[in-house]
Amino acid sequence: MKDAETASVRKSKKRQAKPKFIKTEKTPVEPFDPEALIEVQHLTKKFGEQVVLDDISEKIVQGEKVAVIGPSGSGKSTFLRCLNMLEDPTDGYVFFEGNNLCDYRIDINVQRRRMGMVFQQFNLFNNMNVLKNITLAPVHIGMRALRRAQRKNFLIKAGNLFRPAAKKKPLLSVRTSKKEIKADAEADAMRLLERIGLADKAGAYPSTLSGGQRQRIAIVRALAMNPKVMLFDEPTSALDPEMVGEVLALIRELAEEGMTMVIVTHEMGFAREVATRVMFMDGGKIVEQGAPAEIFGSPKNERLQDFLSKVL
Ligand SMILES: Nc1ncnc2c1ncn2[C@@H]1O[C@H](COP(=O)(O)OP(=O)(O)OP(=O)(O)O)[C@@H](O)[C@H]1O
Ligand SMILES: [Mg+2]
């Protein structure tokens, strides 16, 4: 017993002695802003020799609706994809809720769950019906938590066999079952589908739906994870014109409810109306940004003026 105690004391000392922040090349030099939901510092991305993002430092606070505009190839998608580490930055840091996503000790999957991403091409699973598409991730996460609790309880029970009655450890409370997790996720999914008027499509496969319906389901699928921020990459540019409206209406509704969002878009009218801030990217840099009225009303940068003259 004494040996075991000394071992545990030794272990805890060792744990304390470990530096809290291991200095690596991924350790930021500047402190992050605790007010920011997302902060990037000196974000740089290169594909081979091509510099696609060039030393971008930017903050996005909760409740902001940021529209990213700019010519094709300016790095908009790459910027968005770096925010949730779908692209690994070549240099610089990305903080989300104060967590340094470039730190190798961060579980990026846990962080990514809080950042809903919607792509141009919907990215639904075509071999699953709508309900399964929406519930897949929540059920997977719920089941993982359940299995982890069950595994811990198994170890506690086994340990308790050797502990005297006074020292037996209490079991973790496991209130759910697989059936309940699934039922909860399905109830949530149905609520979301009802909200967008597609409850009757729960059993349908994506290939039988219109582009607008598929994209709204992709949005709802992201919402099922209760994200803190939604990242949209040209969510309407693969749609037939008559379907653009229904998708934008849903995004506008989310914006009005206070969802923080970053949206790469070619819909200038939408950006002007919904965004609280517009960023204009060109050549891997944010060359001008500001309130929509400023950006669209009195653009200062020549390249922005040129861009707007072509798209407006
Ligand atoms: N995986 C990759 N490998 C190599 N080059 C890439 C890759 N992804 C993007 N690029 C290049 O990086 C540049 C920026 O691409 P990005 O997709 O971010 O631009 P964009 O502003 O989103 O353009 P668009 O409006 O056409 O979507 C482009 O020149 C592109 O060819
Ligand atoms: Mg793009």
Side-chain angles (χ1 to χ4, degrees):
M1 190 65 203
K2 200 172 171 223
D3 254 12
E5 267 172 23
T6 26
S8 87
V9 167
R10 220 181 302 132
K11 208 167 156 191
S12 88
K13 272 189 187 157
K14 202 169 158 193
R15 213 177 297 137
Q16 278 167 14
K18 212 156 89 178
K20 241 184 146 187
F21 214 85
I22 300 170
K23 195 118 177 112
T24 68
E25 58 174 328
K26 291 286 184 191
T27 303
V29 281
E30 295 161 26
F32 66 86
D33 178 356
E35 300 287 306
L37 182 64
I38 301 176
E39 176 170 349
V40 300
Q41 292 178 358
H42 305 293
L43 181 63
T44 301
K45 177 70 185 177
K46 292 182 190 165
F47 287 113
E49 287 299 295
Q50 187 191 2
V51 181
V52 176
L53 297 179
D54 189 3
D55 194 15
I56 296 180
S57 293
E58 202 48 62
K59 291 174 197 172
I60 294 163
V61 301
Q62 192 154 358
E64 266 196 301
K65 293 104 190 50
V66 178
V68 184
I69 61 170
S72 181
S74 57
K76 306 180 297 294
S77 297
T78 309
F79 176 65
L80 204 68
R81 292 166 65 82
C82 279
L83 296 186
N84 66 356
M85 294 284 131
L86 281 183
E87 286 300 348
D88 217 1
T90 311
D91 222 329
Y93 313 100
V94 180
F95 294 94
F96 174 54
E97 294 188 298
N99 294 304
N100 177 6
L101 302 190
C102 303
D103 191 317
Y104 64 92
R105 290 163 298 168
I106 283 278
D107 184 344
I108 190 62
N109 290 322
V110 171
Q111 303 299 324
R112 219 177 257 150
R113 273 179 224 151
R114 316 270 289 147
M115 307 171 110
M117 179 120 187
V118 175
F119 304 87
Q120 190 176 346
Q121 295 295 344
F122 328 129
N123 292 16
L124 292 174
F125 300 111
N126 286 323
N127 57 337
M128 294 176 194
N129 69 20
V130 165
L131 192 65
K132 191 82 196 284
N133 260 285
I134 301 173
T135 57
L136 187 70
V139 168
H140 176 74
I141 287 157
M143 284 304 297
R144 232 176 40 181
L146 175 65
R147 276 197 293 269
R148 194 175 301 138
Q150 284 170 336
R151 214 166 29 238
K152 276 192 180 154
N153 274 348
F154 175 79
L155 293 175
I156 293 173
K157 265 189 208 165
N160 279 348
L161 290 176
F162 303 97
R163 291 187 188 104
K167 289 197 172 172
K168 287 202 192 298
K169 284 192 182 169
L171 295 182
L172 303 172
S173 76
V174 178
R175 285 190 223 99
T176 52
S177 61
K178 181 176 181 182
K179 215 167 142 190
E180 267 175 28
I181 289 169
K182 232 178 129 198
D184 279 354
E186 285 181 358
D188 277 349
M190 288 311 296
R191 249 195 310 278
L192 288 164
L193 284 173
E194 263 155 36
R195 177 188 167 158
I196 57 168
L198 291 178
D200 58 327
K201 301 289 185 198
Y205 282 80
S207 57
T208 65
L209 304 175
S210 75
Q213 290 172 334
R214 274 187 263 177
Q215 191 59 307
R216 284 187 291 142
I217 285 162
I219 294 173
V220 153
R221 178 177 63 172
L223 291 178
M225 301 297 287
N226 290 319
K228 281 286 264 211
V229 57
M230 289 284 288
L231 310 174
F232 295 96
D233 193 359
E234 295 194 35
T236 57
S237 54
L239 299 177
D240 291 337
E242 70 268 24
M243 285 164 193
V244 169
E246 62 191 61
V247 172
L248 290 184
L250 175 59
I251 299 173
R252 188 180 292 121
E253 227 178 275
L254 295 177
E256 279 163 7
E257 283 169 12
M259 175 66 80
T260 310
M261 53 179 72
V262 185
I263 174 164
V264 174
T265 184
H266 286 147
E267 299 284 339
M268 296 302 144
F270 181 79
R272 188 198 290 246
E273 193 192 323
V274 175
T276 52
R277 179 154 56 120
V278 179
M279 285 177 183
F280 171 65
M281 284 189 73
D282 195 21
K285 279 185 181 295
I286 298 169
V287 291
E288 187 167 337
Q289 62 171 309
E294 283 169 40
I295 295 290
F296 295 110
S298 51
K300 289 167 199 72
N301 186 282
E302 211 173 283
R303 282 180 289 175
L304 173 57
Q305 289 167 356
D306 183 46
F307 174 75
L308 290 177
S309 74
K310 285 181 189 142
V311 296
L312 284 181

